[in-house]
Amino acid sequence: MKKGINTRCLHIDENEENFENYGSISYPIYQTATYAHQGIGKSTGYDYTRLQNPTRNQLEKVVANLEEGLDAFALSSGMAAITLLMELFKPNDHLIVESDLYGGSIRLFDNISKKNGIDFTYLDCTTDDIEKHIKENTKAIYIETPTNPMMNVSDINKISKIAKKHNCILIVDNTFLTPYFQNPLNLGADVVVHSGTKFLGGHNDTLAGFLVTNNEEIQEKLRFLIKTTGAGLAPFDCWLILRGIKTLGIRMEKSQQNAIDIANFLKEQDVVTDVFYPGLPEHKGYDIIKKQARGFGAMLTFNVDSKEHAYEILEKVRMIKFAESLGGVETLITYPTTQTHADVPEEKRLKNGITPRTLRLSVGIEDSKDLIDELKNVFKSLS
């Protein structure tokens, strides 16, 4: 019988008689680069940590289990994961990509992948006619849902049917919701991407990235690529992510409740003109996310009434940190225009809704009253 997700954050195929690793409750860090053999053909199953490492293998099993995938691949960062994924494609291949993506993904596609001969069409995958833009050489559709930072919600199952009809693979970045709230593979996706730096790690203390698939052909290709390119996650970082995943469920629940409280607070503030949070019933993607996910997450974006007020808010917050990341236990506020999306052309940013008045919150696990009190005080002090 399948265990609950909180249990699976802690245990994999274990029973009371399992006392491997001397009974260690914390999975050991195998901090070694290479492994000794007793003779020809007498391997322990491990040869060289670029190829495989017990700590990394344990982490990959945990993440694959949470995403209900066939296999997972732990890499040195979220961008390393996406870079490896792009090695599945060759010159003249075409990808349809969500236009409102994390700026680092767009930077990679526009400056590295295009240079390598891959063609991209950017669409609003929540409203545009995806099928109309599919070409003979289209190999994949790549989405985030919710998107970063405008929190647009795509219908994964609907897009997966389009992809399968045209023999494309569907790639879903699941960083914002994590496998605790959403499992894209069960909705028809072929590959799931994570920046493990964010909610999976949860403590702003390490970098990591993941690819998860339920497709055997893709699995074989990625296993070859990860050992060939050498971007596998180091043992100590694997241990940090394993530690973080243990509390994934309780962190996501607390952060989500705080996000709901803050979203409702922001709606009532005169200085705030728009609130983008998929847990608000008026959000255009509310019905879709209710259908395909078990929660709404801890990310929200809002616009204020002027660029000057946006700058003041960033300068005056104290407990809420002005920093570029997300998914940790601390609440962070980010300015996409100069941080996460600084390398995205201004015309594209504005078209996606990212203006100089846009702020993004990654809501942590503090007491929501304290977070709201700080925002109240900051808003009152605006000139």
Side-chain angles (χ1 to χ4, degrees), residues 229-243:
T229 59
L233 190 60
F236 182 67
D237 299 291
C238 290
W239 181 84
L240 286 171
I241 302 296
L242 279 169
R243 182 202 62 178

Side-chain angles (χ1 to χ4, degrees), residues 146-189:
T147 61
N148 182 3
M150 300 312 296
M151 306 304 296
N152 299 324
V153 177
S154 294
D155 188 325
I156 298 172
N157 186 252
K158 179 181 176 182
I159 296 174
S160 77
K161 290 176 180 176
I162 296 171
K164 286 175 173 56
K165 179 180 175 182
H166 295 275
N167 199 30
C168 302
I169 65 170
L170 174 60
I171 302 160
V172 180
D173 188 321
N174 198 30
T175 298
F176 273 17
L177 289 188
T178 82
Y180 184 77
F181 282 137
Q182 181 172 263
N183 294 117
L185 296 178
N186 291 342
L187 297 164

Side-chain angles (χ1 to χ4, degrees), residues 5-113:
I5 191 164
N6 281 299
T7 302
R8 287 186 285 131
C9 285
L10 297 162
H11 306 282
I12 293 186
D13 298 329
E14 295 172 349
N15 58 59
E16 293 180 3
E17 297 179 357
N18 187 338
F19 284 94
E20 293 181 359
N21 303 307
Y22 306 97
S24 175
I25 299 300
S26 175
Y27 196 88
I29 305 169
Y30 285 85
Q31 193 64 49
T32 182
T34 191
Y35 307 81
H37 304 296
Q38 293 182 343
I40 298 294
K42 295 180 180 179
S43 172
T44 61
Y46 295 94
D47 304 300
Y48 187 59
T49 281
R50 175 168 53 78
L51 309 180
Q52 69 278 97
N53 176 280
T55 314
R56 188 163 75 228
N57 287 1
Q58 178 72 2
L59 174 59
E60 289 175 342
K61 286 194 290 184
V62 168
V63 174
N65 186 268
L66 291 175
E67 279 291 10
E68 303 190 28
L70 174 67
D71 202 357
F73 304 84
L75 293 115
S76 58
S77 69
M79 291 312 305
I82 301 171
T83 300
L84 186 81
L85 182 64
M86 288 299 107
E87 293 298 325
L88 292 177
F89 307 106
K90 61 183 187 301
N92 299 317
D93 281 351
H94 172 249
L95 277 67
I96 291 175
V97 175
E98 167 62 51
S99 60
D100 184 39
L101 288 181
Y102 166 56
S105 301
I106 295 173
R107 180 175 60 236
L108 173 71
F109 297 159
D110 286 353
N111 294 281
I112 307 297
S113 301

Side-chain angles (χ1 to χ4, degrees), residues 258-272 275 300 302 304 309-310 312-322 331-334 359-364 366-382:
N258 284 352
I260 292 170
D261 293 345
I262 291 172
N264 283 309
F265 161 76
L266 290 172
K267 285 168 55 178
E268 306 302 320
Q269 306 309 301
D270 292 339
V271 71
V272 176
V275 180
L300 66 89
F302 63 102
V304 293
H309 279 160
E312 279 193 73
I313 291 166
L314 295 170
E315 290 171 357
K316 291 182 176 182
V317 289
R318 290 294 177 267
M319 181 175 62
I320 299 171
K321 302 301 182 186
F322 174 25
T331 297
L332 304 180
I333 190 166
T334 298
L359 298 167
R360 190 193 73 185
L361 273 176
S362 171
V363 184
E366 303 94 340
D367 289 329
S368 63
K369 181 180 181 302
D370 296 328
L371 295 170
I372 289 171
D373 283 347
E374 170 151 297
L375 289 171
K376 278 182 183 175
N377 291 334
V378 169
F379 291 166
K380 284 179 183 177
S381 69
L382 296 178

